[in-house]
Amino acid sequence: MIIYGVALLSICTLAGLFVGDLLGVLLGVPSNVGGVGIAMILLIFGGGYLSKRGLLAGKTEQGIEFWSAIYIPIVVAMAAQQNVVGALSSGPVAILAGLLAVGLSFAMVPVLDKLGRPDAAVEKKSHEPGTAAQATATATVQR
Amino acid sequence: MITETLTKVLTSYGLISGFAVIGATMWVSYWLSAKFTRGRLHGSAIAILLGLVLSYVGGLYTGGQKGLVDIPLLSGIGILGGAMLRDFAIIATAFGVNPEELKRAGISGVISLAFGIFVSFIAGVSVALVFGYTDAVSLTTIGAGAVTYIVGPVTGAALGASSEVMALSIAAGLIKAMAVMVVTPFVAPLIGLNNPRSAVIFGGLMGTSSGVAAGLAATDPKLVPYGCLTAAFYTALGCLLGPSLLYFMMRGLFG
């Protein structure tokens, strides 16, 4: 039954937000502390547990998958009600923040790739300087 | 008479009107994506950009704070994009993520997740500092926006950030997602992004699911599941860290 999936998702959501609110009170923050993240973890492990026991039939999963598929449209609706006029009047913060994050993250890929496998480090090394310079160059051009 | 009746239906069935309007926006966006970018710029990114543009137009037209939602005919979008359905749908995306598969991806996936969130967050916070934001809530929200356009507003909503800062935060995440989609196929050869291992690391560092999926699809479709595997954990981890650890760090540093 599709409603079982929706109900499971609801229970995880409510439980996660409840724990998040409790954490907020305990930590003295006037906010929900990671409730959405806690709910996601509950769903990953709860859903995995039920799935292993064969308790999530195809129809039940559809109840969750529908909401998973509808999240981009909901994010679009969320974007359509933001104060964009206000944001743009405060300068190119968003553009610079986004591009700097991407530039730095690209530059980190070969660094982390090298960290994990020492035997391949020597072979990788010859490509390194060019890589880092190129990534930085790309980021600079975008800015 | 016809206009009045139509207006009445559209406003009293607000959420349903919201589905129709957003559905049409999605259709136009995917059409634009296929027609003019050959799918390289993902339809979802265009749709979100369109949402922000429409919000800008709505804001100019009404002078209000809530973009399109201030237009009475379109107020249903406010329900669709409101906190309740938003959190519900975002949590649903965690379903199907198999923790066993992340273990198989190895410790490098976990390390890249942690690094990815901190690197992007610090990038966002640095830029916000340069532009004169000094309060911990705004800095955290903009930094979280540079993590992803989901983590930003979730963090901002939890901390009670202003609507301007929330919009900045979403915009930063959107710019990031779009840049990843567009730039990845060009940068891939330079950063050794041509095997499952580096794709796992890439997914953990970038984190933006739509950006990673589209960027890897344009690079090598075989790498998509590996990148998406780690990226799927990124937003959850970001939502967990944003209003908690990262905010406490900022509050400790900036009061």
Side-chain angles (χ1 to χ4, degrees):
Chain A
M1 291 259 279
I2 284 179
I3 186 63
Y4 295 161
V6 182
L8 173 67
L9 178 57
S10 308
I11 291 164
C12 289
T13 304
L14 295 172
L17 293 174
F18 173 66
V19 172
D21 267 348
L22 275 187
L23 278 178
V25 174
L26 286 176
L27 296 168
V29 192
S31 69
N32 189 292
V33 178
V36 170
I38 295 167
M40 284 173 125
I41 289 167
L42 280 177
L43 186 65
I44 291 172
F45 288 101
Y49 177 79
L50 293 174
S51 200
K52 261 184 205 155
R53 312 201 137 209
L55 291 172
L56 288 185
K59 284 277 180 191
T60 306
E61 287 191 354
Q62 283 176 25
I64 304 170
E65 279 160 3
F66 171 79
W67 289 101
S68 172
I70 211 88
Y71 108 101
I72 293 280
I74 285 179
V75 168
V76 173
M78 180 180 70
Q81 59 180 305
Q82 298 302 319
N83 192 354
V84 182
V85 176
L88 288 184
S89 64
S90 53
V93 181
I95 297 170
L96 287 178
L99 292 183
L100 186 63
V102 174
L104 288 178
S105 300
F106 270 128
M108 288 291 291
V109 173
V111 176
L112 287 187
D113 198 17
K114 202 179 73 177
L115 270 184
R117 44 173 177 196
D119 48 320
V122 184
E123 176 230 338
K124 274 266 150 198
K125 211 155 196 167
S126 58
H127 302 291
E128 266 307 84
T131 304
Q134 288 283 7
T136 318
T138 316
T140 316
V141 168
Q142 280 165 359
R143 267 173 244 155
Chain B
M1 188 186 76
I2 291 176
T3 322
E4 277 169 24
T5 313
L6 185 65
T7 309
K8 185 174 156 267
V9 170
L10 288 180
T11 47
S12 48
Y13 286 74
L15 177 60
I16 310 299
S17 312
F19 278 126
V21 171
I22 297 299
T25 311
M26 297 297 290
W27 184 82
V28 169
S29 307
Y30 275 82
W31 181 79
L32 286 174
S33 163
K35 189 89 179 169
F36 295 105
T37 73
R38 285 197 216 135
R40 177 156 288 178
L41 191 55
H42 206 265
S44 55
I46 296 177
I48 294 162
L49 185 68
L50 266 183
L52 287 170
V53 169
L54 289 175
S55 183
Y56 180 75
V57 174
L60 283 186
Y61 176 69
T62 63
Q65 304 262 315
K66 290 197 155 182
L68 269 193
V69 175
D70 284 327
I71 300 170
L73 263 184
L74 297 171
S75 58
I77 292 173
I79 309 173
L80 185 57
M84 183 172 71
L85 288 179
R86 182 198 63 203
D87 288 351
F88 196 55
I90 289 167
I91 291 163
T93 63
F95 185 69
V97 169
N98 185 348
E100 299 299 320
E101 285 183 54
L102 187 74
K103 277 183 211 155
R104 205 189 308 153
I107 192 79
S108 49
V110 179
I111 292 172
S112 69
L113 272 174
F115 264 97
I117 288 171
F118 276 95
V119 163
S120 288
F121 181 75
I122 289 165
V125 169
S126 313
V127 172
L129 271 176
V130 169
F131 281 85
Y133 289 89
T134 50
D135 63 295
V137 169
S138 299
L139 286 174
T140 310
T141 305
I142 296 172
V147 175
T148 71
Y149 55 75
I150 308 288
V151 176
V154 165
T155 301
L159 300 178
S162 71
S163 181
E164 281 99 307
V165 170
M166 293 273 275
L168 269 183
S169 158
I170 292 175
L174 178 66
I175 300 271
K176 178 181 174 182
M178 292 178 68
V180 173
M181 286 176 197
V182 177
V183 176
T184 301
F186 302 103
V187 181
L190 307 170
I191 57 175
L193 181 56
N194 54 15
N195 58 75
R197 208 188 104 86
S198 57
V200 163
I201 292 169
F202 172 79
L205 279 170
M206 294 302 170
T208 157
S209 298
S210 55
V212 168
L216 284 179
T219 307
D220 178 358
K222 270 178 263 165
L223 299 178
V224 172
Y226 296 98
C228 290
L229 190 76
T230 32
F233 283 88
Y234 189 90
T235 292
L237 195 57
C239 287
L240 196 61
L241 293 178
S244 53
L245 181 67
L246 295 174
Y247 172 61
F248 296 138
M249 273 170 46
M250 287 296 113
R251 205 176 54 173
L253 286 171
F254 301 98

